Amino acid sequence: WKIRNTLRVAFIWGFIQNLIAMLVNKVFGITVITSELRGVLVKADGRSFDLGVLSRRVVTDAGVAYIVDDWDGGANVIDNFNYHGCGTGTNAEAAGDTQLQTECTTALNPDSTRATGTKTQPSANQMRTVGTLTFDASAAVTEHGILTQAATGGGTLLDRSQFTAINVVSGDSIQFTYTLTLTAGG
């Protein structure tokens, strides 16, 4: 699974973009935002499989606008980016995405409820949220998003990741770890 996912063009392009972002920061001192999504599949019988890095992109235009509006004193609260949604959509990630393509609803336990993440700050320039989605039906999970509300079908999308299918059955769960890194320039 890791090899198939890593060889996807979108995964390779995300890896290259992260390298370019680090280079731009190092050479030109420009602040950059990068993201990384990791996954662990936990089977109903308790066995777990570390899926490694699932994706390294895409922070959305809507997510950036939400953060700027919070800074500007609007009604937005950046703390709300703590809900993990998943789905079966296969469209490539894009900065213009505003929702998951085909979000899981009835396959989740409880239905239509995104996982609430546990937030940490692994270093001064990183935000991390870890959320576990549990399933009570079979699904081929191919996308993940960080959103601002627990109920499926709404909220603002900070980041959308698309990856090789993770096949789940009733009783399985996926633990997603999302890390957003802001690298200062200067």
Side-chain angles (χ1 to χ4, degrees):
W1 186 93
K2 285 184 185 180
I3 293 170
R4 248 190 359 258
N5 192 59
T6 305
L7 292 177
R8 289 180 319 107
V9 172
F11 185 92
I12 293 168
W13 181 239
F15 180 77
I16 291 168
Q17 285 179 324
N18 271 359
L19 288 177
I20 291 170
M22 289 187 309
L23 180 64
V24 165
N25 175 259
K26 194 85 153 161
V27 174
F28 300 106
I30 298 172
T31 301
V32 293
I33 299 174
T34 58
S35 63
E36 179 182 87
L37 178 68
R38 294 180 161 273
V40 175
L41 172 62
V42 180
K43 300 300 285 178
D45 63 9
R47 293 176 296 141
S48 66
F49 302 90
D50 182 356
L51 303 172
V53 176
L54 302 175
S55 181
R56 285 195 167 93
R57 48 185 232 172
V58 161
V59 176
T60 66
D61 296 335
V64 170
Y66 188 96
I67 292 167
V68 170
D69 288 347
D70 181 31
W71 176 272
D72 195 32
N76 296 341
V77 178
I78 192 173
D79 288 355
N80 290 339
F81 284 122
N82 196 39
Y83 300 98
H84 294 255
C86 70
T88 58
T90 57
N91 288 354
E93 309 102 325
D97 289 341
T98 58
Q99 294 294 318
L100 293 176
Q101 180 190 354
T102 310
E103 189 166 7
C104 291
T105 54
T106 58
L108 296 173
N109 183 11
D111 285 351
S112 301
T113 304
R114 298 176 179 132
T116 301
T118 300
K119 294 185 279 190
T120 60
Q121 186 179 349
S123 67
N125 66 330
Q126 290 184 319
M127 305 179 331
R128 178 173 291 159
T129 176
V130 179
T132 302
L133 289 158
T134 303
F135 298 85
D136 59 11
S138 296
V141 178
T142 55
E143 62 179 334
H144 172 271
I146 296 292
L147 296 110
T148 57
Q149 74 177 40
T152 59
T156 300
L157 180 67
L158 172 65
D159 193 304
R160 177 173 175 262
S161 299
Q162 196 277 325
F163 41 84
T164 301
I166 302 169
N167 294 306
V168 296
V169 297
S170 183
D172 290 352
S173 60
I174 304 173
Q175 179 187 66
F176 290 105
T177 301
Y178 176 80
T179 305
L180 184 73
T181 303
L182 293 94
T183 307

